[in-house]
Amino acid sequence: LPLGRCYAHIWRLNVGRVPLYLLDTNIPENTVSELANITDRLYGGTIDTRVMQEMMLGIGGIRALDALGIEPSVCHINEGHAAFSMLERSRLLMEKSALSFAEAWNLVRSASVFTTHTPVPAGNEIFHHDTMATYFTSLAANLGLSWQEFLTLGAQTDPSLEDGFSMTVLGLKGALVRNGVSKLHGDVARTMWHAVWPGIDVSDVPIGAVTNGVHTATWVATEIADVYDRYLGREWRTTPEDPSAWEAIDAIPDFELWRAHTRRRERLVVGARDHVLNKHSASLTQEQLAGIHDLLDPDVLTIGFARRFASYKRADLLFRDLDRLTSLVHHPDRPIQFVLAGKAHPRDIEGKELIQRVLNHVKANGLEQRIVFLEDYDMAVARMMVRGCDVWLNTPRRPYEASGTSGMKAVLNGALHFSVLDGWWAEAYTPEVGFAIGRGEELDSMQQDAADSETLYDTLEHVVAPMFYDRTRGRIPQRWVAMMKRSIKALAPAFAARRMVCDYATQAYVPSMERWLTLTANNFAGARQLTSWLAGTTSAFANVAVRDVNVSGGLHAHVGKRIHVDAVVELAGLSPADVVVQALHGSVDGRGHISPAKATEMQLQRMDGVTAHYAGDYVCTTGGLQGCTVRVMARHGAVPADIDNRMIVWAS
């Protein structure tokens, strides 16, 4: 590093059968304080601190594995923070196996998985080129890259037109498997990073989605777990991703599930009082101390809200109409109370001010007894809240909540989720399992806040509270408990961490490992052949062309009608095995675009020298104005090289 050589101690922690390795720079060998403090605090220090942290994580992490004799086939990069590992992996392959940078980079890309987590621009780090020059000039040279070539790895378009090096773009370019963390986030990410693949439609941007999940046994309260054990057996613990493990949820007597849940609410109330008392006992008067014992009521509908206080999460949405909120809190028959918690990013001044505004609203309106903010949010507070709340509230501005997992944890304990249709809730919500704010619309911020707050108050007043307090057939709210059961039954398996890991294994890890084995066989013959093929195909594609497209039956298209497409393609010396020819078809939108487009692969009919004749059929699935065109993309047997390398030619 510019400040000198930086050393890290490797700590190993055995988590069951899994070794977790941690890097620590706070060791005597680092005599410069800035180096010793690199691993001190995640979001502390300067931009230089952040660059050094990410170099230690990415480059140092790969060197640590190498020093330990661990040679991974596949690396999964979680957000852009560790993306420098892709460069170091390439450098080590060049050094140990005599590969060129292109050969090493193509190999690393083929065996890397990249997960992007945030659609908020501020969450995707960009370092100025001057900063990058301070730290990476020598590494670029070691990789055999010019400085312009190096900067291109972190640029969406032309690096000379951009003001920085994007860690997210490096991750996207350095992996062939990329994903967002919910279905909606996958859609958002494809739009957000479309410029990395300028020659294709947004729907074709190769970023998929693996929705997050939570570790079931960690978050289920003891009282709830005991009920599950009695009626569901052990399968909910061992195979929580299997819907059949939750089928017997209906066999749980209503009173038993409700009693266990009520106990957790009581423990939340007591725990919240103790938390406030422990934080403030030294500075409170006797009267204030006595008042703490009246905070919250164990018999009142309790709503939880706990998350990072970023502006897009709109923690103040609940406080837009204080008169309406006060009437809900102090309703004579159906009162509501709120437990709030969370932290702001250390550098997020707006987030810190948001917390202060929320606290001021509570105090100014005399709501302290029924709206309680728990400071110093941590895992213990999180467990207490997700296990004890009746409703879990989430109010992000769509579509900025990439996934969200706190609601998943609450659902496991019988809480009902109440949220904007964003993140995981956009794919989880049905009226049978929870409550929604809005219908997924995206208006300008002022209109959206007004509409969402109105829906929030209306739903609480006219749907949530009446259902919770409906005890017409005894002391148990039967409609509420029925929804609890439906929610657990449907959502617990769908959003279990085991389901998530299985998705990553089948969609990402196994295909990536198979590519690694193919490309490294016979002394990396596959990697060398792939790189040679890419170079030759890229050159030839400049002369590939689509001629004479003929669409039969399109004039009077209707749903169910079969359409036939013929196309003549000039392959410019390429083999038919090097390409895939597709008919792109679907409804035409107001801008004249086929959107969303569906692809149907066309089949080679015959060759006339370098001219290929293709044909294919598809069936109309939508009404209205229809469109069809043809495209040719490069295709390699070992990797999905077509869209990634932007070797695409469209019919004119």
Side-chain angles (χ1 to χ4, degrees):
L1 295 172
L3 291 174
R5 192 159 190 79
C6 186
Y7 298 85
H9 184 89
I10 305 173
W11 295 90
R12 171 172 168 157
L13 176 66
N14 293 319
V15 185
R17 294 174 296 169
V18 180
L20 170 65
Y21 296 101
L22 305 169
L23 297 182
D24 179 7
T25 60
N26 187 20
I27 55 177
E29 288 83 351
N30 290 323
T31 56
V32 179
S33 61
E34 289 87 346
L35 300 181
N37 293 335
I38 286 176
T39 56
D40 176 36
R41 179 172 297 186
L42 178 59
Y43 294 113
T46 64
I47 293 297
D48 288 280
T49 305
R50 192 66 183 142
V51 175
M52 290 190 290
Q53 285 181 338
E54 299 196 352
M55 292 180 73
M56 178 55 66
L57 176 62
I59 299 174
I62 292 296
R63 292 186 185 179
L65 293 177
D66 186 56
L68 292 165
I70 297 172
E71 298 181 6
S73 299
V74 181
C75 285
H76 186 170
I77 309 303
N78 194 42
E79 199 62 283
H81 312 310
F84 290 142
S85 64
M86 297 165 165
L87 301 175
E88 180 62 13
R89 248 185 120 188
S90 299
R91 191 194 65 80
L92 279 178
L93 283 166
M94 294 170 66
E95 181 181 281
K96 292 185 174 184
S97 305
L99 298 177
S100 67
F101 172 76
E103 292 165 344
W105 182 248
N106 286 325
L107 179 55
V108 167
R109 293 176 74 237
S110 301
S112 294
V113 181
F114 178 74
T115 298
T116 177
H117 278 268
T118 175
V120 181
N124 294 273
E125 287 182 305
I126 297 177
F127 298 123
H128 287 298
H129 289 165
D130 289 345
T131 301
M132 292 297 293
T134 302
Y135 291 90
F136 285 94
T137 302
S138 61
L139 176 61
N142 290 338
L143 293 172
L145 299 175
S146 69
W147 187 238
Q148 190 75 0
E149 289 171 332
F150 180 82
L151 293 179
T152 299
L153 296 175
Q156 289 197 64
T157 54
D158 184 345
S160 64
L161 303 177
E162 301 188 35
D163 61 356
F165 187 98
S166 169
M167 296 298 290
T168 301
V169 171
L170 177 61
L172 291 170
K173 289 185 174 181
L176 286 189
V177 179
R178 318 163 190 85
N179 69 280
V181 289
S182 70
K183 291 179 181 178
L184 177 60
H185 181 222
D187 293 338
V188 173
R190 284 188 286 276
T191 300
M192 189 172 182
W193 302 108
H194 185 203
V196 179
W197 295 273
I200 61 174
D201 188 73
V202 171
S203 61
D204 278 334
V205 170
I207 301 176
V210 175
T211 304
N212 282 341
V214 295
H215 189 253
T216 308
T218 294
W219 293 102
V220 175
T222 302
E223 295 88 342
I224 302 294
D226 289 343
V227 174
Y228 290 167
D229 285 340
R230 284 197 299 277
Y231 292 94
L232 306 183
R234 301 288 295 178
E235 285 76 12
W236 75 271
R237 293 180 182 270
T238 56
T239 55
E241 79 285 6
D242 186 349
S244 66
W246 302 90
E247 279 295 324
I249 202 86
D250 296 322
I252 301 174
D254 287 357
F255 80 89
E256 201 161 339
L257 182 60
W258 184 247
R259 181 176 60 188
H261 178 69
T262 299
R263 286 176 179 170
R264 289 309 312 185
R265 188 190 320 112
E266 292 168 351
R267 293 188 65 173
L268 169 60
V269 169
V270 173
R273 292 170 181 171
D274 289 343
H275 187 85
V276 175
L277 192 62
N278 292 335
K279 295 296 178 185
H280 299 287
S281 58
S283 60
L284 297 178
T285 65
Q286 287 299 318
E287 183 179 359
Q288 289 172 323
L289 286 171
I292 288 177
H293 296 291
D294 292 326
L295 291 179
L296 306 175
D297 184 328
D299 296 319
V300 167
L301 169 60
T302 303
I303 298 179
F305 180 97
R307 52 198 25 89
R308 184 164 54 83
F309 270 65
S311 57
Y312 75 88
K313 292 180 182 285
R314 298 191 297 179
D316 55 349
L317 190 70
L318 183 64
F319 299 89
R320 277 181 62 90
D321 188 335
L322 290 165
D323 290 337
R324 189 114 184 242
L325 176 62
T326 301
S327 69
L328 290 171
V329 169
H330 294 308
H331 193 285
D333 301 314
R334 299 190 297 270
I336 303 175
Q337 62 191 9
F338 298 84
V339 182
L340 314 177
K343 291 181 178 179
H345 187 292
R347 292 182 182 172
D348 186 358
I349 303 301
E350 187 178 0
K352 295 176 183 178
E353 292 174 346
L354 178 58
I355 294 176
Q356 194 59 52
R357 284 203 305 275
V358 168
L359 296 176
N360 289 341
H361 285 318
V362 171
K363 186 175 182 179
N365 291 272
L367 301 173
E368 298 99 322
Q369 298 300 107
R370 292 295 176 263
I371 301 181
V372 176
F373 182 84
L374 303 182
E375 299 177 25
D376 297 332
Y377 183 52
D378 59 12
M379 291 282 281
V381 172
R383 284 194 183 94
M384 181 172 67
M385 290 182 64
V386 299
R387 292 171 174 176
C389 289
D390 300 301
V391 174
W392 197 258
L393 179 65
N394 192 18
T395 56
R397 178 171 286 114
R398 179 182 162 114
Y400 294 115
E401 182 78 285
S403 175
T405 55
S406 57
M408 301 175 191
K409 300 163 190 172
V411 161
L412 289 171
N413 291 284
L416 299 180
H417 200 56
F418 182 23
S419 174
V420 172
L421 295 178
D422 198 8
W424 77 286
W425 196 234
E427 63 194 79
Y429 169 73
T430 66
E432 292 75 31
V433 300
F435 313 105
I437 299 173
R439 301 173 184 172
E441 65 272 26
E442 296 172 22
L443 309 174
D444 72 74
S445 58
M446 292 185 65
Q447 287 180 308
Q448 194 69 64
D449 290 354
D452 288 348
S453 64
E454 192 67 24
T455 304
L456 171 60
Y457 296 131
D458 282 346
T459 305
L460 287 176
E461 180 178 3
H462 301 297
V463 180
V464 178
M467 185 188 297
F468 181 85
Y469 287 105
D470 180 9
R471 316 288 168 95
T472 54
R473 298 175 60 186
R475 299 177 60 187
I476 299 170
Q478 292 182 319
R479 288 194 300 143
W480 188 274
V481 175
M483 184 176 277
M484 287 171 62
K485 290 182 178 181
R486 292 195 299 269
S487 173
I488 296 167
K489 187 176 182 178
L491 304 181
F495 298 97
R498 276 182 59 96
R499 186 275 310 154
M500 174 188 70
V501 172
C502 289
D503 285 350
Y504 275 115
T506 56
Q507 298 175 29
Y509 301 153
V510 171
S512 297
M513 185 177 68
E514 290 174 345
R515 283 194 292 270
W516 173 266
L517 294 174
T518 297
L519 296 178
T520 57
N522 300 318
N523 193 29
F524 301 95
R528 293 185 171 93
Q529 188 277 329
L530 170 63
T531 303
S532 175
W533 178 87
L534 284 171
T537 306
T538 301
S539 176
F541 242 75
N543 298 310
V544 171
V546 181
R547 316 269 188 215
D548 301 328
V549 174
N550 182 52
V551 180
S552 303
L555 186 60
H556 301 289
H558 55 78
V559 174
K561 186 174 184 180
R562 182 172 294 277
I563 308 297
H564 181 78
V565 184
D566 292 292
V568 177
V569 179
E570 302 293 341
L571 291 180
L574 293 176
S575 163
D578 293 328
V579 301
V580 57
V581 179
Q582 296 175 329
L584 272 289
H585 51 88
S587 298
V588 176
D589 63 21
R591 299 173 299 167
H593 296 166
I594 302 173
S595 181
K598 295 183 179 180
T600 297
E601 185 168 344
M602 301 174 67
Q603 303 301 315
L604 178 67
Q605 303 300 301
R606 68 181 190 277
M607 289 290 298
D608 292 334
V610 296
T611 301
H613 297 260
Y614 285 85
D617 295 280
Y618 69 89
V619 176
C620 279
T621 57
T622 57
L625 185 62
Q626 300 291 301
C628 177
T629 189
V630 173
R631 71 180 177 189
V632 182
M633 300 186 295
R635 177 164 63 182
H636 188 277
V639 297
D642 39 35
I643 290 175
D644 283 332
N645 290 281
R646 288 167 281 182
M647 290 184 284
I648 304 176
V649 173
W650 296 82
S652 61

